[in-house]
Amino acid sequence: MGTPTARVTGLLLAGGAGRRFGGPKALASTDGDPWVVSSTRTLLDGGCGDVLVVTGAEAGQVEQRLADAFGGDPRVRATSCGTWEQGMGESLRAGLMSLVSRGRTVPLVAVVHLVDLPDVGSDVVRRLLASGARPSALARAAYQGVAGHPVLLGQEHWQDVLTGARGDQGARAYLRRARPELVECGDLAQGTDVDRPEEQR
């Protein structure tokens, strides 16, 4: 287990309906472990001090899975995005706005992760955080040179990301301009999202 890093929050986007998958991928499971639970553990074990899960489709069921797994653990919280159907940008926006509202306890860094990357483990998060968890940080995991998730998003970048996060437009445009440091993790995972049930390993 990683040593929790002060004021680093894992931001897990788990709101999609998974239409091609046949249902919300947050509720899919590997070895009986729902992806929303295993992804949350990945962020905690990788060194995040806490995790905020953004829910949407079947939010009640997803949040119940979290409650079953983590009980009253204060490190794990959920927020529901009412506009999740408009796209992932809405979930990212809802998550960052929730973090901003923490006042004096706003995290310095958010580690933005997606729920449909079941082969990405805590070792990827740990390596990403080792690149430097500070407000100016901007880095993302790469797999064989291809940029992927999670993304290390220092607080200084949040406003620019929020400006462009609308509908199905997340942080992609900002990251293309800002050119984050790529942290190669291809030796640890493939980092490819699972879109259809037959792609599960």
Side-chain angles (χ1 to χ4, degrees):
M1 183 177 290
T3 301
T5 305
R7 296 182 67 185
V8 173
T9 292
L11 182 57
L12 180 62
L13 305 185
R19 291 180 180 86
R20 285 181 294 175
F21 190 79
K25 288 185 269 187
L27 297 173
S29 62
T30 300
D31 298 328
D33 214 7
W35 288 356
V36 69
V37 170
S38 57
S39 298
T40 298
R41 285 202 187 104
T42 288
L43 290 165
L44 290 173
D45 292 350
C48 295
D50 67 300
V51 175
L52 178 66
V53 181
V54 183
T55 63
E58 302 294 346
Q61 288 191 53
V62 174
E63 291 175 21
Q64 186 60 54
R65 298 294 190 281
L66 289 170
D68 292 343
F70 298 101
D73 190 337
R75 299 176 303 164
V76 179
R77 299 180 184 179
T79 185
S80 180
C81 174
T83 55
W84 65 268
E85 290 181 277
Q86 296 178 28
M88 189 173 66
E90 296 294 311
S91 290
L92 176 60
R93 182 176 183 78
L96 285 177
M97 289 299 292
S98 182
L99 296 185
V100 168
S101 72
R102 289 185 180 181
R104 287 183 296 177
T105 60
V106 174
L108 301 177
V109 172
V111 180
V112 182
H113 193 34
L114 308 181
V115 78
D116 60 353
L117 301 172
D119 84 319
V120 173
S122 58
D123 45 1
V124 172
V125 178
R126 202 172 296 118
R127 184 177 291 177
L128 191 62
L129 285 172
S131 69
R134 55 194 181 278
S136 62
L138 188 63
R140 65 187 306 184
Y143 304 92
Q144 309 303 329
V146 179
H149 285 81
V151 176
L152 188 67
L153 199 60
Q155 191 187 105
E156 292 177 11
H157 301 277
W158 293 4
Q159 188 54 57
D160 287 321
V161 170
L162 283 167
T163 298
R166 290 283 192 285
D168 61 358
Q169 297 299 311
R172 184 177 301 172
Y174 177 70
L175 293 175
R176 191 179 297 123
R177 294 195 309 273
R179 298 188 176 183
E181 173 189 356
L182 295 185
V183 179
E184 181 57 49
C185 297
D187 58 318
L188 302 176
Q190 293 187 4
T192 52
D193 61 324
V194 177
D195 275 338
R196 302 178 187 279
E198 60 269 22
E199 295 172 359
Q200 289 182 253
R201 293 178 181 81

